[in-house]
Amino acid sequence: ILSLRACLVLLAMPIYILSFVGIWQPFCRNVFLPFFFDKLTVVYERKTKKQKQELFCNLPDFKSPSGELKLLEIGTGCGANFQFYPPGCKVTCTDINPSFQQSLQRNMNKNQHISYEQFLVAPGEDLHQVPSGSLDAVVCTLVLCSVHNVNSTLKEVLRVLRPGGAFYFLEHVAADHSSWKYFWQQVFYPTWKLIFDGCCLTKEIWKNLEEANFSELHLQHTTVALPWTPIQPHIVGYAVK
């Protein structure tokens, strides 16, 4: 593993040098990631469309007694999930990276069936701008891999959800430790994390969800067909406060 990691470091040496001198991180967040995820979204959404349709089909069940559905999405990115939200849903968007707002606006324009409340620049671990117990649903897809602290993020999710509200997730995770997929995840881990601004390939996020104080947890392990990538193993589901 160490030898293969060293080979990847050599291949990615320009990025390591740019990171050392402090250039890569701002370029990554402001230019590379918005461009990359805008293009990746097309492929990823085609691969996960059916899974997302099934995942979000029961969102209307979590409307508040008033009939409204107030939803917050952590790490909204380009807004790829908007198409799956039910008509009339009131969405608050959050992301730690404001550079996604151009592609986010395009998806807002495409999805006029939902109402956009506000955009907050905030990490998942600190949603202090959102009142406690004010939301019917929270959505998080391909985000927990990059947060600094999964448990702190889940605590914030539980805080902002009303009792009976739901947390929806779709995340890539660590493969089975005895598999070749996990072997290659370990090989790619350091370079992948640098290139993709903290994205971790070996998080066992299902364990964090199992240990969080949700009253119900509906979780499935699945695979997304992304050949030649280390992010095929996923978990998908929802949890109820």
Side-chain angles (χ1 to χ4, degrees), residues 172-173 175 181 184-185 188 192 201 226-233:
H172 72 79
V173 293
K181 288 180 182 178
W184 286 109
Q185 284 180 334
F188 277 99
W192 184 278
L201 293 171
L226 297 167
W228 310 107
T229 75
I231 59 169
Q232 295 182 65

Side-chain angles (χ1 to χ4, degrees), residues 132-154:
S132 299
S134 62
L135 298 166
D136 304 301
V138 175
V139 172
C140 190
T141 60
L142 294 187
V143 174
L144 294 178
C145 58
S146 299
V147 299
H148 293 299
N149 191 309
V150 176
N151 289 334
S152 295
T153 301
L154 294 178

Side-chain angles (χ1 to χ4, degrees), residues 43 45 50 75 100 200 213 223 232:
V43 177
E45 289 311 305
K50 184 178 179 181
F100 282 109
C200 180
N213 293 319
T223 298
Q232 295 182 65

Side-chain angles (χ1 to χ4, degrees), residues 109-126:
N109 294 337
K110 289 179 184 176
N111 294 279
Q112 295 294 319
H113 66 288
I114 58 179
S115 173
Y116 303 98
E117 299 286 277
Q118 58 182 329
F119 178 89
L120 303 175
V121 179
E125 300 94 332
D126 183 8

Side-chain angles (χ1 to χ4, degrees), residues 13 51 70 89 112 159 163 167 176 183 188 212 222 229 236:
M13 186 56 69
Q51 289 165 312
K70 293 184 178 180
C89 176
Q112 295 294 319
R159 181 186 66 80
F167 172 57
D176 183 277
F183 172 85
F188 277 99
T222 186
T229 75
V236 60

